[in-house]
Amino acid sequence: MTLPFPAQGPGAGRGALFDAVTEVGDAAVALLAGCRGATPIPGAEWTVAEAAAHLAMANELMAELAAGADRPYGDGTPGSLAAANAASLAERPERDPAVLGAEIARQARRFTAAAGPRGGGEPVLTPLGGMDLDTLGAYLLTHMLGHLYDIAVALGRPHPIDRRRVGLTMPFLRTAMPLVVDARAAAGHSACYRLRVRGLDGFAVAFTDGAAVVSQEPPRRPDCTILTEPVAFLLIALGRFTATDALRRGKVLAWGRRPWLASSFPGLFAAP
């Protein structure tokens, strides 16, 4: 697979990513401390403990991928990933939030220890297909932020998403977008979008007859430019926030020849 963006370079960029992975893993410990694991996640089938168990297992999977292990996990489609998630939860009965929080943090550190000595551009095969090692790190960070947000909402506690961390998820989000297009929703769709995230780099997504290509600059005149507040951008990308709600709350602004396309843009993708 050819990535549309270069891998993060060595030094400060990788260090910031690895620091964020460690910080967010450690945030899980505090978030899960003293909570009721049976608390349901709003809008989901999982409880807090089940979401934490999933995170612990996903972090372990990504740490092993970073170490060079071959760990098949579904085929990248939402249905296969859901089945793999259910199977892995059934195999791991631990549901103590404190134990799971510590495991989430431990596996996050294990990832950075395994990835650090390797080149950021080294290819790895992930649940969403091929990507480079540093993009896998951004994938891990994105995955933790999404599920820890759900847990925080369920518990009424602060979530760990902020602008800096959203910026570090961008390499994965850009890589994943063409992979998670909803073929039914996007069928026949052709339009060019410029996406701008306040305080962060922007990029473009061009649809041609339902197929999406991500690039740094628009390949043609944008039909719709979308400016989003960083936290709202990630929550919309992960299906936790609707574009309509974000537009209504002023978290998203849109303009261009076809600004109405902004409200339906997230629906062109199916987050796994």
Side-chain angles (χ1 to χ4, degrees):
M1 171 182 168
T2 300
L3 299 180
F5 294 87
Q8 296 185 33
R14 294 195 85 200
L17 174 63
F18 291 169
D19 286 348
V21 167
T22 301
E23 292 164 4
V24 174
D26 290 347
V29 177
L31 181 58
L32 290 162
C35 75
R36 285 185 66 253
T39 303
I41 300 287
E45 297 180 358
W46 284 348
T47 63
V48 163
E50 288 168 336
H54 167 70
L55 262 186
M57 289 180 285
N59 281 16
E60 178 185 28
L61 168 66
M62 295 195 188
E64 292 186 0
L65 294 176
D70 182 11
R71 281 282 308 272
Y73 196 87
D75 61 10
T77 61
S80 74
L81 292 176
N85 290 341
S88 62
L89 282 174
E91 293 167 2
R92 306 282 188 94
E94 179 61 67
R95 295 294 183 268
D96 183 325
V99 172
L100 294 168
E103 184 65 6
I104 291 167
R106 186 177 80 85
Q107 295 295 346
R109 291 177 182 276
R110 186 176 165 222
F111 174 90
T112 62
R118 299 178 63 187
E122 289 191 35
V124 289
L125 185 61
T126 80
L128 283 179
M131 59 186 68
D132 65 46
L133 183 58
D134 279 0
T135 303
L136 174 64
Y139 183 1
L140 169 60
L141 179 62
T142 304
H143 189 257
M144 283 198 294
L145 289 173
H147 286 294
L148 291 178
Y149 173 84
D150 294 339
I151 291 170
V153 169
L155 298 175
R157 296 178 177 180
H159 65 72
I161 304 176
D162 60 24
R163 182 179 65 82
R164 177 177 62 89
R165 291 169 180 165
V166 172
L168 293 168
T169 71
M170 286 296 193
F172 168 68
L173 295 175
R174 292 166 168 172
T175 298
M177 272 188 167
L179 306 176
V180 297
V181 169
D182 186 325
R184 182 176 300 178
H189 182 61
S190 294
C192 183
Y193 300 83
R194 181 192 289 273
L195 303 183
R196 295 172 54 190
V197 184
R198 196 180 302 276
L200 301 173
D201 289 340
F203 58 101
V205 183
F207 278 86
T208 304
D209 197 20
V213 173
V214 177
S215 58
Q216 187 65 46
E217 296 296 331
R220 55 186 185 268
R221 181 182 175 188
D223 296 287
C224 182
T225 296
I226 304 172
L227 174 64
T228 313
E229 185 273 333
V231 174
F233 174 82
L234 182 60
L235 293 178
I236 292 170
L238 296 177
R240 269 64 171 187
F241 206 42
T242 69
T244 300
D245 284 344
L247 284 161
R248 188 178 297 121
R249 298 180 191 183
K251 302 290 186 180
V252 174
L253 298 174
W255 63 90
R257 296 183 297 175
R258 302 161 68 189
W260 58 86
L261 292 176
S263 61
S264 58
F265 178 75
L268 298 171
F269 306 91

